[in-house]
């Protein structure tokens, strides 16, 4: 069975999520091609050719794809998909925006957010905010899958290099046009792949307090900062901090939840964390049912104490 992986990148490096998608595909495919679409991406293609599990790299390099829009990528991928039995992307914003469009163009079903591979047609995926795992079978001629990056190890580099092939670009569909990109610059690790995450809830009370309490602890632990949806909705933290069912799904070694209630939708995004630490002044807070270590205390005092102890 041959599988096409759609690479996600920033024109400099392949995202770790793509490495996880390769690991997932490798579990049910005889060959795995990596498709890199972008502009001036020859160095990126060489990176891809060194990834364990990749049989061949296919590159579409054109100025049109310097800032590609999903409306242009989808027909391009739909055109190539018939050469494959499966097309896989990571279940990131990029993949979630792209693959349903490909599925619609091909008039095929897709399976989203796959967390386990049973065989080439059968997969596990969470339902009801992660409370149940569904085993689903997809008999489509071409399987279209988004896979949850935290459920699969990132494939490593290897010494051997796979062949690189160039494919032709396709004229823009003219449906959407890139105008500008606004990127929040941060020296912190990326939330979805961070080894440690420190998250705050609505209990922080303001954006200033959120920064004052959460940031120093995150700095000490070289952690990414996260937030509950309630904290984001209240304007205490930016959107990209949101962890959970409708935010980023994380699986760090250590997740510290500060003043977080532990609502189902938040837990859906953290329950694969190796160790969960919760600080909450309510001993009955739901988060304690998930925490490996729980501290029933006022967060404003205990986070300071924790920081001092770390010093
Ligand atoms: C469709 C849908 C999708 C959703 N998706 C998400 C999602 O992706 N992510 C997400 O997080 N939520 C999501 N939610 C919202 C979710 O249901 C909760 O409302 C939210 O997670 C609660 O956030 P919170 O824990 O910060 O706030 P609260 O529920 O207000 O909890 C605050 C907690 O802080 C504790 N506390 C208060 N003061 C202190 C103090 N001084 N010291 C210590 N502890 C203190 C309280 O005891 C309480 O447990 C979603 C909801 C819906 C309906």
């Amino acid at each position: 069975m041959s599988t096409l992986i759609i690479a996600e990148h920033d024109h400099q490096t392949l995202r770790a999520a793509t490495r996880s998608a390769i690991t997932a595909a490798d579990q049910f495919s005889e060959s795995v091609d990596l498709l890199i679409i972008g502009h001036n991406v020859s160095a990126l293609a060489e990176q891809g050719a060194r990834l364990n599990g990749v049989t061949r790299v296919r590159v579409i390099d054109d100025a049109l794809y310097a800032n590609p829009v999903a409306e242009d990528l989808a027909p391009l991928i739909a055109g190539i998909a018939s050469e494959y039995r499966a097309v896989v992307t990571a279940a990131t914003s990029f993949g979630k925006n792209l693959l349903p469009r490909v599925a619609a163009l091909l008039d095929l079903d897709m399976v989203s957010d796959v967390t386990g591979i049973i065989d080439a047609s059968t997969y596990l995926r969470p339902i009801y905010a992660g409370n149940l795992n569904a085993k689903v079978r997809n008999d489509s001629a071409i399987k279209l899958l988004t896979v949850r990056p935290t459920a699969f190890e990132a494939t490593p580099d290897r010494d051997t290099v796979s062949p690189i092939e160039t494919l032709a670009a396709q004229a823009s569909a003219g449906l959407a046009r890139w105008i500008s990109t606004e990127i929040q610059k941060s020296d912190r690790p990326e939330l979805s792949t961070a080894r440690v995450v420190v998250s705050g809830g609505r209990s922080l009370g303001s954006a200033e307090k959120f920064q004052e309490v959460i940031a120093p602890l995150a700095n000490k632990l070289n952690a990414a900062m996260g937030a509950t949806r309630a904290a984001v909705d209240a304007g205490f933290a930016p959107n990209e901090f949101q962890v959970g069912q409708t935010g980023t799904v994380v699986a760090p070694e250590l997740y510290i939840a500060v003043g977080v209630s532990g609502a189902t939708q938040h837990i859906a995004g953290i329950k694969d964390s190796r160790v969960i630490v919760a600080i909450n002044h309510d001993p009955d807070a739901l988060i304690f049912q998930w925490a490996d270590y729980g501290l029933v205390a006022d967060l404003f005092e205990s986070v300071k104490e924790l920081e001092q102890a770390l010093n």
Side-chain angles (χ1 to χ4, degrees):
M1 177 154 176
S2 57
T3 296
L4 181 69
I5 305 279
I6 315 301
E8 190 173 341
H9 60 83
D10 60 1
H11 284 86
Q12 311 291 324
T13 15
L14 291 166
R15 289 201 54 194
T18 296
R19 290 176 178 256
S20 299
I22 293 165
T23 302
D26 208 23
Q27 290 182 17
F28 66 90
S29 315
E30 278 131 36
S31 65
V32 175
D33 284 357
L34 180 68
L35 178 63
I36 298 176
I37 306 171
H39 185 42
N40 293 332
V41 285
S42 50
L44 208 55
E46 280 163 28
Q47 273 177 43
R50 281 202 189 83
L51 293 180
N52 193 42
V54 170
T55 316
R56 175 173 62 162
V57 176
R58 307 186 88 183
V59 181
I60 307 179
D61 195 327
D62 195 284
L64 179 63
Y65 308 122
N67 292 287
V69 289
E71 286 81 354
D72 285 342
L73 296 182
L76 195 58
I77 293 160
I80 305 168
S82 59
E83 296 174 37
Y84 294 90
R85 300 292 305 281
V87 178
V88 177
T89 70
T92 55
S93 302
F94 171 82
K96 290 183 205 171
N97 187 23
L98 180 59
L99 214 61
R101 297 171 192 274
V102 176
L105 289 171
L106 294 172
D107 197 18
L108 290 173
D109 297 324
M110 67 166 279
V111 183
S112 60
D113 219 10
V114 169
T115 52
I117 308 287
I118 310 285
D119 61 39
S121 309
T122 321
Y123 323 102
L124 292 179
R125 63 181 300 272
I127 55 171
Y128 299 117
N131 283 317
L132 291 176
N133 272 325
K135 192 196 276 187
V136 294
R137 189 178 163 85
N138 182 330
D139 288 323
S140 297
I142 308 168
K143 324 289 179 206
L144 301 171
L145 313 177
T146 62
V147 299
R148 189 179 279 197
T150 53
F152 300 93
E153 291 288 326
T155 195
D157 290 341
R158 63 170 176 210
D159 293 334
T160 50
V161 179
S162 48
I164 300 174
E165 177 190 293
T166 307
L167 299 178
Q170 194 174 291
S172 168
L175 296 171
R177 188 166 55 88
W178 173 85
I179 293 177
S180 69
T181 305
E182 231 171 81
I183 297 173
Q184 299 276 350
K185 287 245 183 292
S186 168
D187 293 335
R188 292 183 192 286
E190 197 194 333
L191 181 58
S192 62
T193 52
R195 216 177 57 78
V196 182
V197 176
V198 182
S199 279
R202 172 160 44 196
S203 50
L204 271 307
S206 68
E208 292 71 34
K209 284 282 173 204
F210 194 96
Q211 273 301 320
E212 206 179 298
V213 175
I214 303 297
L217 182 57
N219 290 345
K220 285 230 155 60
L221 297 168
N222 190 26
M225 279 164 74
T228 63
R229 176 160 152 182
V232 169
D233 286 351
F236 303 167
N239 273 327
E240 61 271 19
F241 278 25
Q242 188 177 318
V243 173
Q245 184 190 340
T246 45
T248 302
V249 174
V250 299
E253 308 259 317
L254 174 63
Y255 187 83
I256 304 182
V258 179
V260 170
S261 60
T264 315
Q265 297 88 354
H266 189 79
I267 299 298
I270 70 165
K271 65 186 167 60
D272 291 331
S273 305
R274 176 102 25 108
V275 173
I276 298 176
V277 173
I279 302 172
N280 196 305
H281 67 185
D282 175 4
D284 295 325
L286 278 176
I287 190 78
F288 290 130
Q289 291 180 15
W290 296 91
D292 299 278
Y293 299 93
L295 182 62
V296 180
D298 178 79
L299 72 90
F300 295 103
E301 287 164 18
S302 53
V303 171
K304 270 199 205 98
E305 285 169 18
L306 180 57
E307 256 182 75
Q308 275 159 16
L310 285 167
N311 280 337

